[in-house]
Short mmCIF file of all heavy atoms in Angstrom, two decimals:
data_model
loop_
_atom_site.label_atom_id
_atom_site.label_comp_id
_atom_site.label_asym_id
_atom_site.label_seq_id
_atom_site.Cartn_x
_atom_site.Cartn_y
_atom_site.Cartn_z
N PRO A 306 149.10 127.44 108.29
CA PRO A 306 148.07 127.46 109.33
C PRO A 306 146.77 128.07 108.81
O PRO A 306 146.81 129.01 108.03
CB PRO A 306 148.68 128.34 110.45
CG PRO A 306 150.15 128.25 110.22
CD PRO A 306 150.35 128.10 108.75
N PRO A 307 145.62 127.53 109.21
CA PRO A 307 144.34 128.03 108.71
C PRO A 307 144.18 129.52 109.00
O PRO A 307 144.54 130.02 110.06
CB PRO A 307 143.30 127.20 109.48
CG PRO A 307 144.04 125.96 109.91
CD PRO A 307 145.45 126.42 110.15
N SER A 308 143.64 130.23 108.03
CA SER A 308 143.32 131.65 108.18
C SER A 308 142.25 132.02 107.15
O SER A 308 141.93 131.22 106.27
CB SER A 308 144.56 132.53 107.97
OG SER A 308 145.04 132.40 106.65
N ARG A 309 141.69 133.18 107.32
CA ARG A 309 140.69 133.65 106.36
C ARG A 309 141.37 133.92 105.03
O ARG A 309 142.26 134.74 104.92
CB ARG A 309 140.05 134.96 106.89
CG ARG A 309 139.10 135.62 105.91
CD ARG A 309 137.89 134.79 105.63
NE ARG A 309 136.92 135.48 104.78
CZ ARG A 309 135.82 134.94 104.27
NH1 ARG A 309 135.57 133.67 104.52
NH2 ARG A 309 135.01 135.65 103.52
N LEU A 310 140.96 133.18 103.98
CA LEU A 310 141.60 133.29 102.70
C LEU A 310 141.16 134.54 101.94
O LEU A 310 140.00 134.95 102.04
CB LEU A 310 141.26 132.07 101.83
CG LEU A 310 141.91 130.72 102.19
CD1 LEU A 310 141.38 129.64 101.27
CD2 LEU A 310 143.42 130.81 102.07
N ALA A 311 142.08 135.12 101.20
CA ALA A 311 141.77 136.17 100.24
C ALA A 311 141.87 135.56 98.84
O ALA A 311 142.51 134.51 98.65
CB ALA A 311 142.73 137.34 100.36
N LEU A 312 141.25 136.19 97.88
CA LEU A 312 141.31 135.66 96.52
C LEU A 312 142.75 135.56 96.02
O LEU A 312 143.11 134.68 95.26
CB LEU A 312 140.49 136.55 95.57
CG LEU A 312 138.96 136.45 95.75
CD1 LEU A 312 138.28 137.40 94.79
CD2 LEU A 312 138.46 135.03 95.54
N SER A 313 143.60 136.50 96.46
CA SER A 313 144.98 136.48 96.05
C SER A 313 145.71 135.23 96.53
O SER A 313 146.71 134.81 95.94
CB SER A 313 145.72 137.73 96.53
OG SER A 313 145.64 137.82 97.95
N ASP A 314 145.23 134.62 97.61
CA ASP A 314 145.83 133.38 98.11
C ASP A 314 145.54 132.21 97.19
O ASP A 314 146.18 131.15 97.28
CB ASP A 314 145.29 133.04 99.50
CG ASP A 314 145.70 134.07 100.54
OD1 ASP A 314 146.85 134.55 100.47
OD2 ASP A 314 144.87 134.42 101.40
N LEU A 315 144.57 132.38 96.29
CA LEU A 315 144.14 131.29 95.42
C LEU A 315 144.51 131.57 93.95
O LEU A 315 143.88 131.04 93.03
CB LEU A 315 142.63 131.09 95.57
CG LEU A 315 142.18 130.74 96.99
CD1 LEU A 315 140.67 130.85 97.11
CD2 LEU A 315 142.63 129.33 97.35
N GLY A 316 145.52 132.41 93.75
CA GLY A 316 145.90 132.77 92.38
C GLY A 316 146.69 131.69 91.67
O GLY A 316 146.81 131.72 90.44
N ALA A 317 147.22 130.71 92.40
CA ALA A 317 147.97 129.61 91.77
C ALA A 317 147.00 128.44 91.58
O ALA A 317 145.81 128.60 91.41
CB ALA A 317 149.17 129.25 92.61
#
Side-chain angles (χ1 to χ4, degrees):
S308 64
R309 174 65 175 173
L310 289 176
L312 290 178
S313 58
D314 295 321
L315 300 168

